[in-house]
Amino acid sequence: MAGDLLLPGNIYDYLRRHSLREPPILERLRRETAAHPRARMQITPEHGQFLALLVRLMGAQRALEIGVFTGYSSLAAALAMGPGGKIVACDISEEYTAVARRYWQEAGVDSMIDLRIAPALDTLRALQARGENNFDFVFIDADKTNYLNYYESALGLLRPGGLIMVDNVLWSGRVADEREQDEDTMALREFNDKLHRDPRIDLSMIPLGDGVTLARKR
Ligand code: SAM
Ligand code: CA
């Protein structure tokens, strides 16, 4: 299994062996995605399990996903929501999401997922223009330089008490290394700083996977 960025390998193996309960269809999707050159973009299975737990805790029935890739996180969310749930899923790649569609169909959740192939900001603006404001859950996991834009839109689209989950906030530790000055790292640093000071949310940053932030809209 792929290692975790933030945990020593032996502890990570222990964590997986003693907690992972991955549904077989998610395991198959993960194994197929592992052969993809961009496989590292997929969330880890324990991250998927945590996402599913939060969705269930909240009783979320309306979710928004920004960054689908081969569909692991959206499938985990859909399975956790059950048949009444709806997910608006944003990506720009027909190629990556073709794999996602295949697995959603096989899992019987494809009618729950409204896949929008367009720059996510366009999709978010279209939702805002329709006055949408009752999403329960938003997962941000696309281009890092737009994270603040996605976050601002997501706050507008969520109901009070709704949750934003954000992936890659520790960026393999690069956010904490001042020598790293590339665009993505700088964008993530600015993002983390803004959320730290934002009074509109309750906040937690968790060393899960590549770093995950939870922001609950007050
Ligand atoms: N959440 C996915 C999972 O669990 O496997 C991983 C998402 S991957 C890290 C990021 C995705 O964002 C890619 O599929 C990419 O095509 C998409 N993406 C990049 N820029 C985008 C944009 N401007 N709008 C929408 N999607 C974008
Ligand atoms: Ca990610």
Side-chain angles (χ1 to χ4, degrees):
M1 275 188 185
D4 181 272
L5 293 161
L6 301 166
L7 264 189
N10 59 329
I11 302 177
Y12 185 54
D13 286 346
Y14 180 91
L15 180 152
R16 275 204 179 176
R17 281 198 318 265
H18 292 84
S19 71
L20 195 60
R21 296 177 175 180
E22 190 177 33
I25 189 151
L26 280 177
E27 186 180 350
R28 270 196 287 121
L29 170 55
R30 179 163 58 85
R31 293 199 186 286
E32 179 171 341
T33 303
H36 193 284
R38 312 278 327 259
R40 284 180 63 85
M41 292 211 297
Q42 183 190 81
I43 60 167
T44 59
E46 57 280 358
H47 183 174
Q49 189 168 317
F50 181 58
L51 187 157
L53 179 72
L54 291 176
V55 162
R56 287 222 171 97
L57 269 174
M58 298 180 73
Q61 290 289 284
R62 296 213 62 204
L64 175 62
E65 175 167 84
I66 304 169
V68 175
F69 188 40
T70 58
Y72 191 96
S73 47
S74 27
L75 181 52
L79 293 173
M81 282 174 156
K86 289 272 174 231
I87 301 175
V88 176
C90 310
D91 208 290
I92 44 174
S93 170
E94 289 280 6
E95 184 197 333
Y96 298 161
T97 56
V99 179
R101 287 185 203 266
R102 185 152 45 78
Y103 278 85
W104 297 342
Q105 230 158 34
E106 201 187 318
V109 302
D110 50 321
S111 63
M112 296 169 58
I113 304 177
D114 174 6
L115 177 62
R116 311 270 184 102
I117 299 292
L121 276 181
D122 294 352
T123 301
L124 296 175
R125 285 192 190 116
L127 292 170
Q128 282 176 302
R130 284 202 338 228
E132 300 267 5
N133 61 3
N134 64 348
F135 280 89
D136 301 303
F137 182 81
V138 180
F139 182 40
I140 300 178
D141 190 18
D143 48 321
K144 310 310 166 199
T145 49
N146 267 316
Y147 264 28
L148 271 175
N149 296 324
Y150 297 147
Y151 169 73
E152 282 301 329
S153 294
L155 269 184
L157 291 167
L158 277 180
R159 64 166 169 85
L163 189 70
I164 306 176
M165 174 185 265
V166 190
D167 196 26
N168 306 106
V169 295
L170 293 175
W171 209 226
S172 306
R174 289 198 287 280
V175 288
D177 182 347
E178 286 305 324
R179 290 166 303 184
E180 302 284 352
Q181 295 293 329
D182 63 280
E183 210 182 13
D184 286 344
T185 304
M186 307 240 289
L188 284 163
R189 265 187 212 128
E190 186 189 0
F191 179 81
N192 291 335
D193 288 346
K194 285 245 164 80
L195 266 67
H196 191 200
R197 294 193 304 267
D198 191 337
R200 297 171 296 175
I201 54 163
D202 300 313
L203 177 68
S204 182
M205 190 191 278
I206 305 165
L208 168 70
D210 192 26
V212 170
T213 281
L214 296 179
R216 176 189 171 275
K217 178 176 174 175
R218 287 183 167 157

